[in-house]
Amino acid sequence: MSAGQGDWSTFSGTALRPPPRLYGVPVLLSFSRTTRSRPLVRAVISDDKAVESAKTSPLDQKHSNGSSDSSSKQVKAVVTIKKKMKENITEKIENQWEMLMNGIGRGILIQLISEEIDPVTNSGKSVEAFVRGWLPKPQEHDNILQYVADFTLPSDFGRPGAVLITNQHAKEFHLLEIVIQDFDGVPIYFPANTWIHSLNDNPESRIIFRNQAYLPSQTPPGLKDLRREDLLSIRGNGKGERMPYERIYDYDVYNDLGKPDKERDLARPVLGGEERPYPRRCRTGRPASKIDPLCESRIEKPHPVYVPRDEAFEEIKQDTFSAGRLKALLHNLVPLMAATLSSSDIPFTCFSEIDKLYNDGFILKDDEQRKLGDNLFIGNMMKQVLNVGQKLLKYEIPAVIRKDRFSWLRDNEFARQALAGVNPVNIEILKEFPILSKLDPAIYGPPESVITKELIEQELHGMSVDKALEEKRLFMVDFHDMLLPFIKRINNLPGRKSYASRTVFFYTKTGILRPIAIELSLPPTPSSNRNKYVYTHGHDATTYWIWKLAKAHVCANDAGVHQLVNHWLRTHACMEPYIIATHRQLSSMHPIYKLLHPHMRYTLEINALARQSLINGGGIIEASFSPGKYAMELSAAAYESWRFDREALPADLIHRGMAVEDPSAPGGLKLLIEDYPYAADGLLIWSAIKEWVESYVEHFYTEPDSVTTDVELQAWWSEIKNRGHHDKRNEPWWPKLATKEDLSGILTTMIWTASGQHAAINFGQYPFGGYMPNRPTLMRKLIPQETNPDFEKFMQNPQRTFLSSLPTQLQATKIMAVQDTLSTHSPDEEYLGKMNEFHSSWINDHKVLQMFDRFAAKLGEIEEIINERNKDIRLKNRTGAGIPPYELLLPSSGPGVTGRGIPNSVSI
């Protein structure tokens, strides 16, 4: 059957709509997308013959016999589609049907829009055709298909600047790109990498712009209406529940973490608003819960939480994430069963039990497994699962103990991890004594710390505190004020005991950082106004074990603040409003959209999954970290001191007193501790991003007022402040957006946050936290005091006291599984400075591509510098016997848990 003939009733059982008819022949009329009624310059039938349009000019009427105008232009549009790599039988049958429909020109309608105005319609000139081709052209990738659509363009059509795609199939498809060939000898690229919804779901066509970047004022006349219309279609109207096929970006508060309809104890307060300020998330529009109208109803696994369609994981990423979930499920299976057999969860009783997690896995010996199976009456299927699990549950030995299993016991390793661990962003200079709290003394007791000058000087070997302060040798990790308001509530939770901690470090003249005092505080009580305890490292056995317990409490606090504040809040949650605003306010043809696009990949999806399973009421974070059910309230309390201007790495280092401005130093900063791997490597990455962004901005914003007159850009920055971070909208520290320098600074901070900052504090989670004694995520007991009945038990068996204070076996395996998943690079990861082969035509600008090549080359040089630093024996925080090199800010990586690699975006 030819494309222009046949009875359309043959296909009446499909979701396809017949094309309009002109003079009894199916015709592809060109029309404005907004009116869908106005024929344009020429109609093209699907067998590639031009016929006279209903409103052709007298000049065109001489070609009404079907021959092409001698001055017209024949062009081809090559449409590249990506299908699933793994298909079930139903999907294969559906795909064969779709290929048939595409082959005969009945599935995908393409409308070319010119950059020039049609004087009749006052919108872009337009022609259209269905894609055709019985067999897709073979590609290197089996899941990549190509089709062709043929167009005849009038001589005065102008350059195509946009395409409208109408999907007449019953289901969506993934469009990679469209390339217009044979146009003045140069191909025109329309990069897409987007899902095209079915006409059944939404009658509106999708708009895809060519890869030319335009500021709003530079938009070609024929594309102005489409540019505005595309942005409006993305914003939605703030009403109704979002559907999976939609790509609507809007804002909402965090009102979906609790489950009040299921259990009252799982109700959680709303985050976002005057009482609990917080960044905004992507709106889903689900109905309110039945019990609390302020909370949104929950949707549980395996059902997905709404994110705009293109934000969802692609197939490889989804497979990697699902494999991690399966591994976690099996990982927790035996400890969960063992806990079921006892009255409570089981603590570790000796270190060899922890070693088994890596050497033997979790599967019990045959006789123990048989006994467990008999007791639980599990069937053959479950026993097969246990056997399969034995193969899957061989977790890698974490890097921190791989070469030296006792490193975690040493003070210098405890201190090293404050500079080169997974949370190297809380250490700060100690500027003055006494150390004072800023909390209300009427509620929290005297503000003075019990770490005194006299106590410190006992650890300084003859140096005075004043001298140490003058030489900037005293540093501190201070969680006191952040945690103390929560400690009473945390300690009332079953199996939770915490202190608010301060740790003081001394930086020796030999370049070694060592901890010298730890203060652990409890809230004052009616019987005691001062519940503060200070510990130092002693040399006798009792003091040694108590010091180890004090360090474990500090590590548990550090793990909680790292996860809830530095990781979740400062990267995941704070990036989400930037991404929403970018889609809502910057056209996809805007140069800043194109710059930011790689740094937005997968973030909304991973955040939605976190709200569903990790940070939700009763979720893994609450079950595994000290704050328990108050975890997200703690995160919201930390947001009160969040400032955008301090998220820039140099500003953060200066604010913490870890660096000073020095024009003669590389990057303009001098580190107080030269051997500070996170800062030293981070400044290299920061400088490379800054150089790339500044050259990019300079290229597009050439006039003095081009930033202030960019209406989309100004609306974008305004929306980030006023809607995305609504609770911070009136803060005076927000950067102005008036100059190229302002814009470059804002963009560099965002890109650093999504790439380098997130990589530094995420991909070391399993390498450092996978060995629970090194980095416990919670503590279950307070340190026994001499007046406490447990003190005698401690004296008799300090190891058992230490291990019983750590997370239980089930808690440990839960968090290990999560840390393993979060530390894993997917095979489809896109790294900083690398270009996905399917996105190589992202911009039509040779100078920009040269800039990007220089950026990529710079990152290659940085990788070599970091590798050389990791061989420098003078740098004790990254070299030495058993010391793992600092690789978290190496730009490249392979898949898996590698402890290195900087993805473009917050993608896990």
Side-chain angles (χ1 to χ4, degrees), residues 148-209:
V148 173
D150 295 303
F151 295 90
T152 299
L153 304 183
S155 58
D156 62 348
F157 185 80
R159 180 181 295 275
V163 294
L164 304 187
I165 311 291
T166 305
N167 173 15
Q168 298 191 354
H169 293 298
K171 66 176 186 178
E172 64 185 4
F173 66 85
H174 193 269
L175 176 68
L176 282 178
E177 70 173 4
I178 296 175
V179 182
I180 305 297
Q181 298 180 342
D182 309 319
F183 190 90
D184 293 340
V186 178
I188 302 176
Y189 292 92
F190 296 79
N193 194 33
T194 185
W195 288 94
I196 306 298
H197 60 259
S198 168
L199 196 67
N200 292 352
D201 292 326
N202 183 348
E204 294 295 318
S205 304
R206 279 293 308 278
I207 304 170
I208 309 294
F209 295 105

Side-chain angles (χ1 to χ4, degrees), residues 231 234-235 248-251 280-282 308 311 574-588 590 592-593 596 600 604 711-725 750:
L231 282 175
I234 288 172
R235 294 172 192 164
I248 304 297
Y249 295 79
D250 205 351
Y251 300 95
R280 297 307 191 255
R281 64 167 174 92
C282 186
E311 303 296 331
C574 285
M575 278 300 301
E576 186 152 346
Y578 311 153
I579 294 168
I580 297 171
T582 299
H583 284 284
R584 286 169 54 87
Q585 297 298 340
L586 298 182
S587 166
S588 59
H590 197 292
I592 302 306
Y593 178 95
L596 290 176
M600 303 188 291
L604 297 193
V711 293
E712 287 183 7
L713 188 72
Q714 293 298 326
W716 167 77
W717 186 233
S718 175
E719 183 164 293
I720 286 172
K721 295 182 294 182
N722 293 304
R723 294 199 63 188
H725 286 273
M750 289 181 179

